[in-house]
Amino acid sequence: MVKFFQQKHAYDYSWNTVSCAFLNRYPNPFATHVLSADTVAHRLDTQTGELHITRLLRKTNSIPRWARSIMRGNDAYILEHVVVDPESGTLVSKTRNITHTRMLKVEEKQTLVADPFNIDRTLCKNETSIVSNIGYGLNSRIENFSLSRFSENIAKSRKGMLYVLDLAQRKGLFRQRLRMEQNLEPQA
């Protein structure tokens, strides 16, 4: 049986700032389980103006004692596809694990959109499905455990994003980027 998780959140930062922070969220002290984040491919669609990014994430997590006999190693690889559409102010990230898929499949979609009523705010929506096909009467137990852990990890993920946003704001990284973008715009 598939378990679903959905959560909405708002960041009190502009979409430009949040989308930039999202793409630079690792490393941060709230994501020590993320061992690496490597860009595998990226391309700019000249027709739509969308930036497409594919990344490979390597993560680790502690394994519950009851699952150690059926799971080899605690490293997992996650494939992330990101589409950034600056015209509509939308970033969509889809992730799925590519290891341990017989035991557990986790697919997450995270959407960041500019708040239409406040330019200094970004709306975030997380949608996740979790399913286990291992059998042996363990599917429900694995799914329930994973759903519980996922909801805990989403809170850490949000703290990590806020950390990156705060750090970048304190160091003026996004202001510097904005000045660079403004200098590149054609003068009237």
Side-chain angles (χ1 to χ4, degrees), residues 22-158:
F22 181 87
L23 295 172
N24 293 285
R25 67 193 187 277
Y26 303 124
N28 75 67
F30 297 97
T32 56
H33 66 290
V34 179
L35 304 175
S36 63
D38 299 306
T39 299
V40 177
H42 64 278
R43 69 177 174 84
L44 180 63
D45 185 328
T46 56
Q47 300 279 324
T48 65
E50 294 176 339
L51 176 62
H52 295 258
I53 303 167
T54 302
R55 299 196 310 178
L56 182 65
L57 308 175
R58 182 174 159 231
K59 298 183 178 185
T60 188
N61 256 324
S62 59
I63 301 171
R65 193 172 318 178
W66 54 265
R68 289 181 185 153
S69 63
I70 55 175
M71 192 168 163
R72 296 183 187 147
N74 56 346
D75 283 6
Y77 288 91
I78 290 85
L79 199 59
E80 176 184 57
H81 296 284
V82 180
V83 178
V84 182
D85 183 352
E87 188 68 32
S88 68
T90 304
L91 180 150
V92 176
S93 168
K94 294 180 180 179
T95 61
R96 65 181 175 87
N97 62 308
I98 57 175
T99 53
H100 311 299
T101 56
R102 182 168 175 249
M103 182 169 171
L104 183 69
K105 289 182 184 176
V106 179
E107 294 181 359
E108 179 184 10
K109 178 181 177 185
Q110 190 168 154
T111 307
L112 300 170
V113 296
D115 186 330
F117 304 107
N118 183 347
I119 62 168
D120 293 323
R121 190 175 167 132
T122 302
L123 307 176
C124 176
K125 181 178 180 182
N126 291 81
E127 301 167 281
T128 306
S129 65
I130 298 171
V131 64
S132 176
N133 291 314
I134 197 155
Y136 310 110
L138 295 174
N139 291 358
S140 183
R141 186 173 185 178
I142 291 170
E143 291 166 355
N144 288 333
F145 171 81
S146 299
L147 184 63
S148 172
R149 179 173 275 178
F150 189 84
S151 62
E152 292 169 11
N153 286 348
I154 203 89
K156 289 180 189 174
S157 175
R158 187 171 303 120

